[in-house]
Amino acid sequence: MKTPDGTAYDWTGSSPQQPVVVLVHGLGLNRASWAPQSPGFAGFARLRYDLPGHGESAALDGRATLPGLSAQLAGLLDHLKIGCAVVIGFSLGGMIARHFAQSHPHRTQGLVVINSAHARSARAQANILLRLAEAQKSGPAATVELALSRWFTPGFYARNPEIVDAIRQTILATDPDQYCRLYRVLAEDMAQIIAPVPPISCPALVMAAELDYGQSPDMARAMAAEIAGAEVSIAQGLNHMSPTESPAAINTPLAVFLRRFR
């Protein structure tokens, strides 16, 4: 299904009374990347959608921005006549979810941020800007192999080439121009969601993976410290793609958090 402005989405719900979860994927991925989490949403209506220029969604004209990506989500909720939802975002999707919670507090019933960056060190910021420049020059192919080697633990990477390759092909199928537009948000727009005023006030769960140095546990704790009452969950022995590598490590704490909204 698509909205009039071209946002592709899947909607699963059986009753207007069901609480809603909205799932926001990461850079180079698409709404199908949430499949490992789907069993954990029993009792909820589920909304998955593709970011601009990703999956089946229309391409974006002009610079991608966090406000613009938040507006895409707000427009999708308007289209489906959804007043509020629990917003769950992975990586870049976590940045969008945080911005949406800041910009639309009355529409954000709860917030879950999974493996998403917070304030970076000067060195980390320089590194991501270097990777952005490489992607702008040569497209996703310039960075995908390094990314995949960092996103999975070595053992999983070696034992599951078909899963790794499926993600590789998804990233490589993303339009290079659109990929870079959203990569720039990931690299350059972090300041917009650090220590917002007023602060995010909805119930929140911030998740990180122990071995994910780009979106580290320390970042997760710092992020949670800016949200009153936020919970933190660290997936031990896992890396950035923990939702794919070990769904239970994400689904178990996520299910506990979501119980309050049923």
Side-chain angles (χ1 to χ4, degrees):
M1 293 178 280
K2 282 191 178 185
T3 65
D5 62 358
T7 295
Y9 67 93
D10 296 328
W11 167 253
T12 304
S14 60
S15 164
Q17 285 73 45
Q18 281 185 304
V20 177
V21 294
V22 180
L23 304 167
V24 193
H25 65 78
L27 178 70
L29 303 177
N30 57 42
R31 65 191 191 274
S33 65
W34 289 107
Q37 278 61 63
S38 294
F41 299 126
F44 289 83
R46 185 195 68 199
L47 176 60
R48 308 184 304 178
Y49 72 100
D50 290 335
L51 294 174
H54 286 57
E56 298 176 308
S57 282
L60 182 71
D61 291 327
R63 190 196 192 285
T65 66
L66 275 177
L69 296 171
S70 290
Q72 181 196 23
L73 174 50
L76 178 57
L77 295 181
D78 290 343
H79 173 72
L80 293 170
K81 297 181 172 56
I82 298 171
C84 64
V86 179
V87 183
I88 302 173
F90 169 74
S91 194
L92 172 62
M95 292 177 62
I96 297 166
R98 290 161 67 190
H99 193 280
F100 183 85
Q102 294 169 205
S103 305
H104 304 276
H106 301 299
R107 305 193 75 170
T108 311
Q109 191 175 10
L111 172 68
V112 180
V113 179
I114 303 172
N115 301 355
S116 189
H118 193 54
R120 299 185 184 98
S121 68
R123 180 178 179 181
Q125 184 62 23
N127 286 339
I128 195 170
L129 290 174
L130 178 61
R131 294 194 297 273
L132 171 61
E134 292 170 349
Q136 288 172 327
K137 180 179 179 181
S138 304
T143 58
V144 67
E145 296 307 325
L146 175 62
L148 291 171
S149 68
R150 290 172 47 236
W151 288 356
F152 293 100
T153 61
F156 184 92
Y157 186 98
R159 292 189 303 270
N160 298 275
E162 71 289 348
I163 295 176
V164 175
D165 189 58
I167 294 174
R168 177 186 291 111
Q169 296 308 320
T170 298
I171 294 170
L172 292 176
T174 306
D175 177 84
D177 175 69
Q178 296 292 306
Y179 179 86
C180 290
R181 289 178 196 235
L182 269 67
Y183 204 150
R184 187 173 175 183
V185 173
L186 185 70
E188 296 183 354
D189 290 1
M190 184 65 67
Q192 299 178 35
I193 51 174
I194 295 173
V197 179
I200 294 170
S201 58
C202 65
L205 171 63
V206 182
M207 308 181 79
E210 180 189 15
L211 307 179
D212 186 1
Y213 64 83
Q215 293 76 209
S216 68
D218 284 345
M219 286 182 173
R221 296 183 187 101
M223 191 188 312
E226 297 178 357
I227 306 171
E231 302 170 25
V232 177
S233 177
I234 309 299
Q236 299 299 310
L238 293 168
N239 214 314
H240 189 56
M241 286 301 292
S242 55
T244 299
E245 180 168 339
S246 180
I250 300 299
N251 297 354
T252 300
L254 182 59
V256 172
F257 177 75
L258 290 176
R259 284 176 193 161
R260 71 189 69 191
F261 303 105
R262 289 182 179 151

